[in-house]
Amino acid sequence: MTLDAARERLIIALDVPTVAEAAAVVDDLGDTGLFYKIGYHLAFAGGLDLARELTAAGKRVFLDMKLLDIDNTVAKGVEAVARTGVSMLTVHAYPKTMTVAVEAARGTELCLLGVTVLTSMDDHDLSDAGYHDTAAMLVMKRARAAQLAGMGGIVCSAAEAEGVREIVGHDMAVVTPGIRPSGAAAGDQKRIVTPGEAVASGASHLVVGRPIVGAGDRKSAVIGILTEMSSAFSE
C-alpha cells in the first residue's frame, strides 16, 4: 500500500481543548493529514463547526460522539450528523441503538461505527461496572451484533482486532484507537499496540492522537506512522 493510500486509513485525533489549537494542528500538517477525529472535548468547544469546515476543505472527519439514547433521539442525531458531510460517526454497540442508527443513516454515505469496549477499560473495570464478560468476550459479542445490525464498522482495541475481523469479514471497517508507536507513552490507555501490529491484526483504520499532536515535528510523526502502516498493509 502506498503512503497516499495509508493516509485514508490514519485518523488523527484532535484531542485538544480549543478549536484554535485543533486548527493549528491541521494547518501544521497540511496535506500530510487527511482524516481527523473530533470527540466530545473539542465538539463542545466549537468543534462541530470545525468539522463542517474540514469537510468543506476536502478533509475527512470521524465524529466520535458515542451516541446512546432513546430511539427517536438517536435517529434524529444520526440524521443531523449525516447532513454535515462527515465520514464516520460512533454509536454505542447496543443492538437496538445500532438498528435505529442504521435506518436513520440509510441512503447517506455516513459510515456508522459501533463502539465495543473503550480502550481505557480492562477486565477489572468491566467487573466493577457489573459485566460478567471479559473485555475480549464483550467485544466479540458486540461485533456480532454490529454485523447483524448492518453497521459500517466497529471500534475496538487492536488487541481484539484479529478476532473481530474473523467475525465481521472484510466488508466492515475495524477502527482501532489506543495506537502508540514504539517508545511512545501509554497515557491512560490500557490495551495498546503499535501501528504495524494493529494492521497485522486486521485493523482497517488507526486512530492516533497524542503521539502526533504532541510531537515536536508533527509531519515527521505522521510520515513515520504512515510508513509503518504502508509496510504492514502490503505484507
Side-chain angles (χ1 to χ4, degrees):
M1 177 181 286
T2 65
L3 291 184
D4 281 343
R7 286 172 68 236
E8 298 272 355
R9 309 296 187 95
L10 174 61
I11 303 172
I12 301 163
L14 294 175
D15 294 334
V16 294
T18 69
V19 169
E21 289 174 83
V25 172
V26 175
D27 290 343
D28 193 17
L29 291 175
D31 292 339
T32 307
L34 173 65
F35 211 153
Y36 291 95
K37 179 184 83 88
I38 293 176
Y40 285 135
H41 195 180
L42 187 58
F44 295 155
L48 297 180
D49 287 335
L50 176 63
R52 295 183 181 92
E53 293 173 11
L54 289 174
T55 58
K59 302 293 186 182
R60 301 185 67 193
V61 175
F62 165 24
L63 198 57
D64 190 17
M65 291 289 98
K66 301 182 181 70
L67 299 184
L68 178 62
D69 212 309
I70 61 173
D71 293 359
N72 184 64
T73 300
V74 169
K76 295 304 181 183
V78 170
E79 290 170 1
V81 169
R83 290 193 292 270
T84 68
V86 305
S87 298
M88 289 178 166
L89 169 69
T90 50
V91 305
H92 275 287
Y94 288 76
K96 192 176 184 183
T97 299
M98 292 189 291
T99 298
V100 169
V102 167
E103 184 58 34
R106 197 174 305 281
T108 75
E109 296 184 359
L110 180 64
C111 178
L112 292 170
L113 304 173
V115 177
T116 54
V117 176
L118 301 177
T119 54
S120 61
M121 300 184 74
D122 57 18
D123 294 346
H124 179 73
D125 296 319
L126 289 176
S127 177
D128 285 346
Y131 289 93
H132 299 293
D133 291 330
T134 64
M137 291 167 60
L138 188 56
V139 168
M140 300 311 157
K141 285 183 178 180
R142 289 180 169 174
R144 293 186 184 94
Q147 184 184 43
L148 289 173
M151 295 284 283
I154 68 165
V155 180
C156 68
S157 162
E160 289 97 34
E162 184 174 3
V164 166
R165 182 58 75 193
E166 292 178 359
I167 291 170
V168 304
H170 296 290
D171 293 334
M172 290 176 65
V174 175
V175 180
T176 57
I179 304 299
R180 293 290 185 270
S182 298
D188 58 358
Q189 304 286 0
K190 294 185 178 179
R191 302 190 332 275
I192 61 173
V193 297
T194 66
E197 290 169 340
V199 170
S201 295
S204 61
H205 296 75
L206 311 187
V207 180
V208 185
R210 280 166 282 190
I212 294 173
V213 174
D217 186 339
R218 291 169 177 152
K219 284 188 177 181
S220 293
V222 169
I223 291 171
I225 294 170
L226 291 175
T227 300
E228 185 173 347
M229 290 173 63
S230 178
S231 297
F233 274 121
S234 299
E235 291 178 356

